[in-house]
Amino acid sequence: MPGALHVRGVVLPDDEVRDLWLDGDRITTTPVADATTVADRGFILPGLVDAHCHIGIARGGAPIGSLAQARQLATVDRDAGVLAIRDAGSPYPYPELDDDPDVPRLARAGRHVAPPRRYLRDIGVEVAAPDVAATVAEQARAGNGWVKLVGDWIERDAGDLAPAWDAATMAAAVDAAHAADARIAVHTFSESAVEIMVRAGVDSVEHGTGLSVDLVDEMARRGTALVPTMINIATFGDIAARAREKFPGYAKHMLALRDGFPTVVRAAYEAGVPIYVGTDAGGGIDHGLAAREMLLLHEKAGMSTVDVLRAASWGARDWLGFPGLVEGGLADLVVYDTDPRADLRVVQAPKRIILRGRVVA
Ligand SMILES: [Zn+2]
């Protein structure tokens, strides 16, 4: 076991200058003898979280082929200060990495549960309506607390987005996840699917471009989370350009969803919906972009700097069950030179990163 560490600085969110000791993988405020001081000023936050990330999907969209590849992708996020990941669906199982000292904390879904022949190739378990609930239960066991459902995708015959299954099947999926003691995250782009899923009691809406003002109020009332993945939504222009010739209605719809999105996120924020930072890294989006997503939430969706920090740090950790900088909390933290509440851009350059009580940078 490495020796104990000591840090001193302004600890957020409490906003107090404090000394913390990292004794193995635990935080304590009781001094530990012979600890090495690794930061003596600056602003200290609980380690960042990427709440929508895929370390099982390689660049380009194919499933990864080895544990080493998942570890490598996760370390790109780690080196940007992301010390916990919610993996929103992986075609490659990697439960061995849950306690890997080099890998961020993992809240994992199993494979995406998706409709037949409509989702990204080779990524999801593709099932027809009668098998959805049983598959959700099975994938709950493959993950460690989360299930990922694909709530909509293009329906080629209709030439537009459409819900993955009928509303009763999608509601049964939510119940099946909860019966298996898992939370359920749902991918939705369209207006129709997100309405079904919010009213069915899903735990988190991923992307959520189809949200309306009525629905964000309903989410706030229920405490349903939103992970907007602004970086992903910015790629809708490319998706539309590729689809335009064959599916002009779909292409137009995607552009309208993209253009209306910052307003949707702002409405959700103002309604009090819990919002978390997720990049959707994996496939078409690079790892290590959590800071960029944070800046987008501030600049495009109007979230205050402190609320963005909550969405990326202590709030997200509480949501996922990874305790922060409290007595007995997990020894994951990032240190910045200057106050990220005053200028959020500082999150692009952490001065110190400590994961599981060990110095990463
Ligand atoms: Zn995703």
Side-chain angles (χ1 to χ4, degrees), residues 94-101 103-108 143-144 322 356:
Y94 54 82
E96 298 89 336
L97 298 186
D98 283 357
D99 300 311
D100 189 302
V103 172
R105 317 273 169 189
L106 296 171
R108 292 182 288 107
N144 70 359
F322 299 125
R356 303 180 193 255

Side-chain angles (χ1 to χ4, degrees), residues 11 14 18 20-21 26-29 46 323-330:
V11 177
D14 297 348
R18 207 179 281 161
L20 298 173
W21 284 265
R26 287 289 178 273
I27 297 283
T28 180
T29 52
L325 302 179
V326 294
E327 185 69 34
L330 296 170

Side-chain angles (χ1 to χ4, degrees), residues 299-358:
E299 290 160 9
K300 305 274 186 205
M303 287 178 68
S304 73
T305 55
V306 72
D307 285 333
V308 171
L309 293 166
R310 177 186 295 117
S313 173
W314 58 89
R317 293 185 71 99
D318 281 352
W319 183 52
L320 296 177
F322 299 125
L325 302 179
V326 294
E327 185 69 34
L330 296 170
D332 304 336
L333 57 84
V334 286
V335 184
Y336 302 112
D337 272 329
T338 55
D339 189 346
R341 296 169 299 180
D343 185 346
L344 195 58
R345 288 173 297 183
V346 69
V347 299
Q348 296 170 114
K351 178 172 110 180
R352 190 56 95 192
I353 300 170
I354 298 176
L355 170 64
R356 303 180 193 255
R358 303 196 325 174

Side-chain angles (χ1 to χ4, degrees), residues 131-208:
D131 298 323
V132 169
T135 306
V136 162
E138 196 177 295
Q139 292 308 314
R141 289 189 291 275
N144 70 359
W146 284 89
V147 173
K148 176 68 177 296
L149 193 78
V150 176
D152 61 17
W153 203 251
I154 186 170
E155 167 60 76
R156 290 178 190 81
D157 293 338
D160 201 353
L161 292 167
W165 304 278
D166 61 278
T169 297
M170 287 160 59
V174 173
D175 293 343
H178 292 163
D181 281 331
R183 287 186 279 178
I184 181 166
V186 63
H187 160 106
T188 69
F189 288 158
S190 68
E191 296 84 347
S192 49
V194 75
E195 166 118 38
I196 292 168
M197 296 310 305
V198 168
R199 299 200 189 281
V202 71
D203 298 286
S204 77
V205 168
E206 310 300 306
H207 323 301

